[in-house]
Amino acid sequence: MKRTAALLCFLLATLCFCEQVKFVSGDFYPPFIYRNERQELVGISVEILKAIEKVSDLRFDIELMPFSEALKLVETGQADMINLIFKTPEREKMFLFSKPILKVQSLVWVKKELKVKDFKELSAFVVGVVEGDANEALLRQKNPSVLVKRFESFQQLIEAVENREIDAFLMEDLTASYYLIKHDLYHLFESLPPLSVEWAYFAFARTKPQLVEKFNAALDRLPKGEMERIINLFVKPRFFVPAWLWWFILTGSVGAFSIFTTLLLINRRLERLVALRTEELRKKNEELQASYEEIEAMNQELQAAKQELEAMNQELMNLNKRLEEKTKQVERFQKGFQAVLDLTNRLTFETIQEKEFLLSVLRTFKDYLPASRAAGVVLRSVSEPGKTLVCLTNEKDPVIQRIDESFDFTSESARAEILKTVARLCDEKDPSCVALVPIASQDAVHGVLLYFSEGVSVVEKQYVEKFALFVATLLSEKLRERTGNLSKKASGRRRQGARVLRLLHEGAF
């Protein structure tokens, strides 16, 4: 009973003599102070305060609120102290500070896609800043024209980043990493060079110098390495390995070494086998290479033979094509020759008019010239001496005209007159390309064959000349026959006249 009473008295005395400290902080300031999934206050600052309570009579009532409100409460003396902040000349006028607690980098984070490398390039963007952040002044020293947008909390700032309302923001390294990872934005941002690398302090109301002394004295009484241990709980994860895990690792290591040794022996055995197989394969490869070279030589010979055969085949195809063309020409000339023979028979056994004769000669002549667009025949008239017959044909119907003039077909004037007649009858503006082939035998020049020489081959021109010679021979024969018949008729008339005279003389009448 006495011991229980003494303990109760001690607790009451402790409570009576403990100093209550109103501690304020931003409502969400990871990793320094925030609520976990179970809504418990955790963070670096919370652990530091717990450690101070163990070595002093200070007891902390923690209250969370917007950071700007927390600053005003401490400044006006309505709160005793505020969570970790940076020391600036302006703040030193308003607050008292503890010993330095934690070194923090202040950074400007920018989207990687913007490719911003210097603070001067921030003028084109809006930079998000938590209201009351002292690093804003440092940023303005780097770029006085920077445009900032202030937010009440880190959470609101990050939500603006996530909603693409801003592309850059100002925040400490540890806090920014926490939010960027939480919102899956870390891979999208990069930081510019640090604005500052400064110590973070606990700040107190200027009316609490004794509280500051007690707090710093408590910091000095903390075990060596305690502050580092607390910080590492949140910024440097530590892994504790239990004893059973060490035993498992040791056993696994021994097993792995045994397996490694066995595999090494097997590997050496396999190396020897691989070396033997490699040598065998090398020899086989040399044999295959020799065979390949032999086959390649044979293939080149076959290729050469193939090319030679292809050249011969091409030559045969060309010859065959020329032979087909010659055959077609021969067939056409045979057809024309047959027509000429028919014409000869008609002239031999029938009486044929000059007009019909001209048309027959023209049609036969036209068959010799499939490529010529126009052709014609010019002959001396046999039935009407002193006149010339002209027979022309083109795409239209044949045209026959009788000229009251007998041409000397060997003269240039006759050629000019014929060309003039061709131009007039065929509507040709330029008859200079018309070729004239004389229809000449040994006895006389009976006329000419005419055609447009464009597109007419050398062989066709030779056949035209032969045809002209044939027609001239035919006309010469007919003239001789006509002359002979006329001579016979004249002799008959002379004999009949002599008979009449004889009868008259004898007095028959």
Side-chain angles (χ1 to χ4, degrees), residues 128-145:
V129 180
V130 174
E131 189 172 354
D133 192 341
N135 291 308
E136 180 181 342
L138 298 177
L139 176 58
R140 291 194 179 278
Q141 292 177 7
K142 298 287 186 179
N143 185 350
S145 63

Side-chain angles (χ1 to χ4, degrees), residues 65 95 240 259 373 381-382 417 426:
M65 61 190 66
F95 306 110
F240 299 95
I259 294 172
R373 65 180 183 272
S381 177
V382 178
E417 186 65 28
C426 295

Side-chain angles (χ1 to χ4, degrees), residues 17 33 75 92 95 176 235 265 305 311 346 374 405 419 445 462:
F17 291 103
I33 189 166
E75 183 180 357
E92 285 185 309
F95 306 110
V235 299
L265 295 174
R346 293 177 64 191
E405 183 180 353
L419 292 180
V445 179
Q462 293 174 353

Side-chain angles (χ1 to χ4, degrees), residues 54-213:
K54 293 179 181 179
V55 296
S56 69
D57 59 353
L58 299 176
R59 298 295 180 265
F60 301 95
D61 296 327
I62 301 175
E63 185 176 349
L64 303 184
M65 61 190 66
F67 181 70
S68 57
E69 293 182 11
L71 283 175
K72 290 181 180 179
L73 288 179
V74 177
E75 183 180 357
T76 58
Q78 300 178 50
D80 299 320
M81 64 181 296
I82 192 171
N83 199 5
L84 295 170
I85 61 173
F86 296 123
K87 182 188 295 186
T88 64
E90 292 79 7
R91 287 178 175 176
E92 285 185 309
K93 297 176 182 178
M94 297 183 293
F95 306 110
L96 299 175
F97 289 89
S98 68
K99 292 182 177 182
I101 306 298
L102 178 66
K103 188 175 287 188
V104 178
Q105 291 186 9
S106 298
L107 302 170
V108 175
W109 299 80
V110 187
K111 280 188 176 179
K112 294 180 180 179
E113 63 185 30
L114 301 179
K115 298 181 180 179
V116 176
K117 302 299 181 184
D118 188 80
F119 292 101
K120 295 180 181 179
E121 299 177 11
L122 291 174
S123 300
F125 308 98
V126 178
V127 180
V129 180
V130 174
E131 189 172 354
D133 192 341
N135 291 308
E136 180 181 342
L138 298 177
L139 176 58
R140 291 194 179 278
Q141 292 177 7
K142 298 287 186 179
N143 185 350
S145 63
V146 67
L147 180 63
V148 300
K149 184 176 182 180
R150 298 179 180 85
F151 297 86
E152 292 184 356
S153 65
F154 293 113
Q155 184 65 31
Q156 290 181 2
L157 190 153
I158 290 298
E159 287 176 357
V161 172
E162 192 172 21
N163 295 330
R164 299 183 178 180
E165 297 176 13
I166 56 175
D167 296 318
F169 62 94
L170 174 62
M171 195 177 293
E172 292 86 353
D173 52 353
L174 297 177
T175 307
S177 298
Y178 171 85
Y179 279 108
L180 291 175
I181 292 171
K182 179 180 178 181
H183 292 268
D184 195 24
L185 299 171
Y186 194 83
H187 62 286
L188 300 177
F189 282 81
E190 60 184 358
S191 63
L192 297 181
L195 282 172
S196 64
V197 180
E198 300 182 22
W199 286 96
Y201 303 80
F202 288 109
F204 300 82
R206 293 197 65 83
T207 58
K208 300 291 182 177
Q210 296 84 3
L211 178 59
V212 177
E213 292 179 2

